[in-house]
């Protein structure tokens, strides 16, 4: 396993429509292991392959850091994930992103979603996810479609976030 470098907003890979996975081999499973390791190292609760510079439709989520022990169900790797149903009910909650460190903003999303895809062995899976689990999956699935959370806030908030981001980048040594 290996910790990979997380790419930051500004890298075009984060804006690309990622490629579907067609081969479920050891390379894919290695990618998934590296994604989990990279996510844990960065203390995140989700990561998408484009965030380590790999433009394929793979996401991982693990909420245990935030929710305690009980959440075996809330650790998942999904390949070619698609949101096939979302609730009309929405709610607002603050989000961050490992590719936009230090920025956070409130994002409105559906409370519940159904996500379909495959596991890393190629088996079809259907996941029903609510609340933070659903939010994390929606955020990561956005990544494989080239969407970042800043795209889901009001234009004014987006401008402020981008201004803050440019300032943070300018301060880097
Ligand atoms: Ni993110």
């Amino acid at each position: 396993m290996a910790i990979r470098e997380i790419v930051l907003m500004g890298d075009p890979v984060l804006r690309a429509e990622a490629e579907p996975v067609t081969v479920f081999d050891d390379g894919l499973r290695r990618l998934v292991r590296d994604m989990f390791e990279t996510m844990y190292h960065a203390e995140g609760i989700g990561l998408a392959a484009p965030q380590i510079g790999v433009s394929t439709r793979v996401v991982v989520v693990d909420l245990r850091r935030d929710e305690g022990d009980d959440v075996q169900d809330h650790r998942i790797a999904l390949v070619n994930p698609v949101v096939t149903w979302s609730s009309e009910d929405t709610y607002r909650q603050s989000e961050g992103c490992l590719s936009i460190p230090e920025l956070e903003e409130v994002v409105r999303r559906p409370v519940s979603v159904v996500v379909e895809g495959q596991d890393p062995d190629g088996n079809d899976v259907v996941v029903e996810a609510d609340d933070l689990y659903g939010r994390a999956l929606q955020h990561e699935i956005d990544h494989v479609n080239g969407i970042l959370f800043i795209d889901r806030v009001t234009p004014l908030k987006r401008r402020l976030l981008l201004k803050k981001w440019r300032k943070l980048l300018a301060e880097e040594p």
Side-chain angles (χ1 to χ4, degrees), residues 51 96-99 139-140 143:
Q51 293 184 274
C97 179
L98 293 175
S99 293
H139 176 115
E140 300 315 326
H143 273 300

